[in-house]
Amino acid sequence: MDTQSQVKTTAVKGTDTAREVRPMVKDIYKAAHEARENGKKVAYMMVASHYDEILRAMDIVPLPTENYAGLCAAKRDMDRFLLRAEADGYSQVLCSYARIGLGFDSLRKELGHIPEGSPDGGMPLPDMMIGSSAICDPRFKWYQATSRYLEAPTFSIDVVAPPPQADLNRVRDYYINYQKEQFQGLIEFCEKQTHTKMDKEKLWEAIRLGDKAWQLWYDIDRLRVAIPSPMPSQDHFSIMVAGHYYTGTQKAVDFYQKLYDEVKYKADNHIGVIKDEKYRILYGGGLPPWHTLWIFNYFESFGAVFAIENVYRGFDPVQVPSHVTDPVDFLAWRTWLRATAYHEKARQNSGNPTVEKLLGIIKDYAIDGVMFHACRSCRATTVGQTHIKTELGKYCDLPMMQLVSDMVDLRDYSEAQWKAQIGAFIDALEARTDQE
Amino acid sequence: MNTINQYYAGLDMGSVSIKAVIISNQKITGWALIPSGGNYKTAATTVMTQALAAAKIRREDLCGIGVTGLGAQSTPFDARPMSDISCQARGCHVFFPSARTLIDIGGQFTKTAKITDKGKIADFLMSEKCATGSGRFLQVISRILQVPIEEIGELSLTSQHPIKFSTNCAVFAESETISRIAEGAKPADILAGVHKAMASKVNMLLKRIKLAPDVVLTGGGGEDAGLAKAIGQIIGHPILVPPNPRLTAAFGAACLTMETTSG
Ligand code: SF4
């Protein structure tokens, strides 16, 4: 066991391509600053809301505020923003991503400029803010609260998904029509802010690039069934930058093509992340601990590799029917198909789409154990996690562990407790191997 | 390899106390237990010296040292840090080979584990970072009631009407205890109420790992007969307690070291 005290936050990556992500992250903020200087529009935005291509088609530069919070944590420069938001009255149980964003904007307002030394130069003031109900409530309300600190028009889009037991054939058209109205509303909002009409051809092009990148990303993840694992989860938490923050761009396509080639080479030549892969772990859910990503390497020191993960993944590719010829219709259909991808399976088995997805992963990736990360301030990925773990336990007999902290707030993290749990988890994996 | 008359040490560097155990052929030949204090390294050296003296051997006589507990990373010895849950499981298995479920109530956390017939971990769950789930809760209440911690178990067993705490939070329970004292509640009834509250928290963990008999209670909680009784009642199974339950992890660490060192 590694007895050295760890101070760094990042993890050693498994692939060379993943090491190219850091400049891409820097470029997100650089591009936003340059856009402001050049009179282009910049939007605070929420990832995985299915609307990225609309922004690209309208030449609006996306500024993902959640990512900025993760970046601050990876740089261990989050406390001043968290504390500021809390001093402004936001509870410690509010999403820490939102607290960092609100704290950053609050400090900027007070200082009259970006707080000194902010990671990657800080976020410039946005021209607009586009919230989203996809995944959680803070993403819908966050920018409304930000209006305390800056003046920029806000639009929050509703992204809907039916419950697993719904009669999909009966409700489908209602959902798709409603979703289309929501996208249409966003387009009108963007047109008003940019004084430009949406060009449908440009939207089709962005969709084409977006889908191509995500197909490649999916193909890369399928390569990861290889034993030994050619690409670990810590790489995923870097390479997702292309899929989530460069959606609808050629840059994302090129990046994933390069990564695909590297992972394929490693898989074909049995080049694993570590020399002696003993256990293949599934990161079952919860946001990554951005403050302590080296923990993945700590697992590796026991021969345990995170072969795959179930968070911040691209959606599995879906087949939108060929009769859909309008790009906004296409987006609405795609959103529906993505949201219902595991509903049928769920109805036939556990009743829970997430459990079904995990069961499929466990089988395909020859998983030996599952780890969940409960993030105290992320209700969306934490509420229900214990239930999912329990349900999963009914269908597979694998050691599972739930580590508790937060995605960015270090005050919820205890290194000693994590190491104690990880030690026991590894012993449980070993005991299982002994019995086989 | 013949391990008879070979000595191994186990050190459990817990948040409240540090324990050292010397074994020979899986039998304890000496042990010591002292408060962890502010300096883990000094305390570890002291407790090891005392345990060696109790076993009447010298440091050089040891074939290996195993270390576990929250402070294991700070060990001053050339020793292999090990998971404390695994050490507890190992220790329990030696005392009770039939044990399949382990409850360890320590100063900071309560840990529960399912154990295989070989004394290994099959599944485990720790309490949240909350004082109610740990020995700290008992320390708080014993301080308010001014009853020494080692006497609370016996006193609790004399309770006729355990009080029901309306909170599961140690901080609020402190003020609630003070209110109940002011209302004239007997210390025995307050303690029995605390034990019931803790037992229900432990029960939640056990349900999640699907407990199987026999059930063993270790850690400081194992020295509290009132707590053992409350847990036994709520889970519907008798509770086994090893001799000197605060030493089980250190004992297990020594046993595991013996096994890995002697091959
Ligand atoms: S999903 Fe979780 S982390 Fe992301 S914004 Fe919502 S609450 Fe915050």
Side-chain angles (χ1 to χ4, degrees):
Chain A
M1 191 185 279
D2 179 3
T3 56
Q4 285 189 357
S5 156
Q6 314 264 359
V7 284
K8 65 175 188 145
T9 61
T10 52
V12 177
K13 311 273 188 308
T15 61
D16 293 332
T17 315
R19 294 187 193 109
E20 293 172 18
V21 170
R22 183 70 190 102
M24 287 172 78
V25 173
K26 282 189 181 154
D27 279 351
I28 297 173
Y29 306 101
K30 193 165 156 241
H33 282 285
E34 284 171 2
R36 288 284 298 183
E37 283 158 22
N38 300 329
K40 272 176 98 175
K41 299 290 184 191
V42 171
Y44 271 7
M45 56 84 70
M46 298 294 170
V47 299
S49 300
H50 310 269
Y51 63 52
D52 312 63
E53 286 102 334
I54 294 177
L55 303 191
R56 294 289 175 188
M58 300 203 68
D59 266 340
I60 295 169
V61 176
L63 190 45
T65 49
E66 290 162 291
N67 175 269
Y68 194 69
L71 173 68
C72 291
K75 297 273 160 211
R76 288 267 170 115
D77 185 6
M78 61 288 205
D79 289 353
R80 55 176 163 160
F81 305 128
L82 288 168
L83 294 175
R84 176 59 186 229
E86 286 160 29
D88 283 1
Y90 293 101
S91 157
Q92 213 179 316
V93 295
L94 172 67
C95 164
S96 49
Y97 280 178
R99 270 181 287 141
I100 286 184
L102 290 163
F104 175 87
D105 284 321
S106 171
L107 270 177
R108 169 171 47 199
K109 185 180 179 199
E110 182 189 87
L111 298 167
H113 56 78
I114 287 174
E116 215 63 54
S118 293
D120 287 2
M123 294 186 290
L125 278 167
D127 297 288
M128 66 193 94
M129 301 188 279
I130 305 171
S132 149
S133 75
I135 305 172
C136 74
D137 51 325
R139 291 171 24 118
F140 197 83
K141 305 295 290 179
W142 175 345
Y143 297 151
Q144 293 169 359
T146 305
S147 303
R148 280 175 73 179
Y149 308 119
L150 57 92
E151 278 183 32
T154 307
F155 185 94
S156 283
I157 190 171
D158 199 9
V159 179
V160 286
Q165 306 311 337
D167 177 346
L168 296 187
N169 287 330
R170 199 171 68 78
V171 301
R172 187 191 68 192
D173 290 349
Y174 294 104
Y175 273 85
I176 292 177
N177 288 336
Y178 177 75
Q179 197 58 64
K180 185 180 174 184
E181 279 171 26
Q182 289 294 310
F183 287 132
Q184 210 66 60
L186 173 63
I187 290 169
E188 282 162 27
F189 170 80
C190 293
E191 287 177 340
K192 207 166 146 202
Q193 306 312 315
T194 56
H195 310 291
T196 321
K197 267 266 163 252
M198 153 75 80
D199 177 343
K200 289 204 170 177
E201 280 315 308
K202 278 181 86 175
L203 182 54
W204 269 127
E205 178 58 8
I207 290 172
R208 190 186 65 77
L209 290 171
D211 280 359
K212 192 164 178 200
W214 281 42
Q215 177 68 49
L216 277 165
W217 188 3
Y218 175 80
D219 294 343
I220 293 164
D221 280 345
R222 291 306 302 172
L223 290 172
R224 294 168 69 197
V225 298
I227 300 174
S229 166
M231 181 188 127
S233 291
Q234 62 264 34
D235 284 34
H236 166 81
F237 293 127
S238 286
I239 65 96
M240 65 173 224
V241 162
H244 285 306
Y245 307 114
Y246 285 89
T247 318
T249 68
Q250 185 63 43
K251 193 165 182 169
V253 175
D254 295 343
F255 176 84
Y256 284 134
Q257 185 60 61
K258 188 168 180 197
L259 181 62
Y260 179 88
D261 294 342
E262 183 183 354
V263 176
K264 178 142 186 18
Y265 176 81
K266 290 200 158 159
D268 288 349
N269 292 284
H270 310 290
I271 302 170
V273 176
I274 53 173
K275 270 213 175 71
D276 184 16
E277 177 178 298
K278 283 200 219 144
Y279 314 114
R280 294 167 65 82
I281 313 298
L282 160 63
Y283 187 100
L287 298 182
W290 295 116
H291 46 75
T292 310
L293 286 175
W294 56 259
I295 206 76
F296 291 103
N297 297 136
Y298 184 70
F299 277 92
E300 285 168 2
S301 68
F302 300 103
V305 178
F306 279 80
I308 190 76
E309 57 293 314
N310 178 41
V311 64
Y312 282 133
R313 270 168 72 89
F315 300 98
D316 293 359
V318 292
Q319 204 59 49
V320 175
S322 55
H323 66 74
V324 178
T325 52
D326 176 80
V328 185
D329 279 340
F330 184 96
L331 288 178
W333 264 91
R334 197 180 66 179
T335 306
W336 160 265
L337 290 169
R338 283 171 172 177
T340 55
Y342 287 88
H343 279 40
E344 192 52 46
K345 269 193 180 163
R347 265 201 299 275
Q348 285 168 14
N349 196 31
S350 66
N352 187 313
T354 308
V355 170
E356 292 309 312
K357 190 173 184 186
L358 294 177
L359 285 171
I361 292 174
I362 287 168
K363 187 163 161 275
D364 291 354
Y365 289 78
I367 293 297
D368 298 303
V370 188
M371 185 207 104
F372 293 88
H373 180 212
C375 299
R376 280 199 190 273
S377 76
C378 174
R379 295 190 288 280
T381 61
T382 299
V383 173
Q385 196 178 85
T386 302
H387 173 68
I388 285 172
K389 179 171 170 272
T390 308
E391 285 299 299
L392 198 59
K394 291 181 186 165
Y395 297 91
C396 70
D397 182 23
L398 294 181
M400 292 190 222
M401 163 177 71
Q402 190 179 39
L403 294 175
V404 180
S405 78
D406 188 70
M407 52 282 190
V408 291
D409 195 336
L410 208 52
R411 290 169 292 180
D412 288 314
Y413 167 68
S414 157
E415 182 173 323
Q417 191 191 358
W418 274 34
K419 284 189 168 171
Q421 276 186 264
I422 293 167
F425 182 61
I426 298 291
D427 288 344
L429 290 168
E430 192 181 292
R432 188 170 169 272
T433 316
D434 289 351
Q435 278 183 341
E436 279 172 2
Chain B
M1 186 190 279
N2 180 11
T3 54
I4 296 178
N5 292 331
Q6 287 185 337
Y7 292 96
Y8 295 87
L11 192 64
D12 176 10
M13 301 174 69
S15 62
V16 175
S17 56
I18 297 199
K19 308 92 178 169
V21 163
I22 311 294
I23 64 162
S24 174
N25 195 25
Q26 294 206 351
K27 295 266 179 318
I28 296 177
T29 58
W31 61 272
L33 184 155
I34 63 170
S36 305
N39 188 325
Y40 263 133
K41 284 192 176 25
T42 314
T45 311
T46 308
V47 79
M48 182 64 85
T49 308
Q50 291 180 6
L52 289 166
K56 299 191 178 63
I57 60 167
R58 296 160 306 156
R59 255 303 285 289
E60 308 81 85
D61 298 328
L62 289 176
C63 300
I65 303 175
V67 57
T68 187
L70 272 182
Q73 308 289 334
S74 315
T75 175
F77 305 110
D78 178 19
R80 193 169 70 100
M82 288 177 278
S83 144
D84 57 347
I85 304 179
S86 298
C87 292
Q88 290 283 6
R90 190 78 211 133
C92 284
H93 180 73
V94 175
F95 289 117
F96 306 109
S98 60
R100 292 295 173 270
T101 303
L102 158 73
I103 308 165
D104 172 47
I105 300 185
Q108 283 218 326
F109 298 104
T110 291
K111 297 160 196 148
T112 56
K114 289 275 284 287
I115 317 176
T116 69
D117 55 0
K118 295 193 178 71
K120 296 198 166 183
I121 298 286
D123 195 5
F124 69 97
L125 210 50
M126 281 168 86
S127 64
E128 293 186 15
K129 280 175 242 151
C130 163
T132 330
S134 74
R136 184 78 65 207
F137 191 26
L138 292 171
Q139 287 178 332
V140 168
I141 302 296
S142 90
R143 181 174 47 77
I144 302 168
L145 293 176
Q146 296 181 346
V147 177
I149 192 103
E150 35 317 329
E151 291 172 20
I152 60 176
E154 290 306 321
L155 186 55
S156 153
L157 291 175
T158 66
S159 164
Q160 299 292 323
H161 307 286
I163 68 156
K164 194 169 171 3
F165 277 89
S166 63
T167 176
N168 246 347
C169 163
V171 177
F172 291 147
E174 184 168 356
S175 51
E176 197 172 334
T177 304
I178 292 166
S179 307
R180 294 307 173 91
I181 294 170
E183 287 163 17
K186 289 185 186 148
D189 292 338
I190 292 173
L191 285 169
V194 168
H195 285 144
K196 274 186 109 168
M198 286 184 72
S200 90
K201 278 224 156 192
V202 170
N203 191 32
M204 282 191 288
L205 293 176
L206 292 175
K207 276 191 170 155
R208 281 168 60 192
I209 61 161
K210 301 191 192 83
L211 102 136
D214 289 342
V215 182
V216 183
L217 176 62
T218 65
E223 292 183 335
D224 184 333
L227 181 58
K229 183 184 165 202
I231 296 173
Q233 276 176 344
I234 201 164
I235 65 171
H237 291 285
I239 300 290
L240 304 174
V241 179
N244 214 337
R246 292 171 81 183
L247 298 182
T248 326
F251 174 63
C255 293
L256 282 172
T257 306
M258 184 192 82
E259 284 158 29
T260 45
T261 315
S262 59

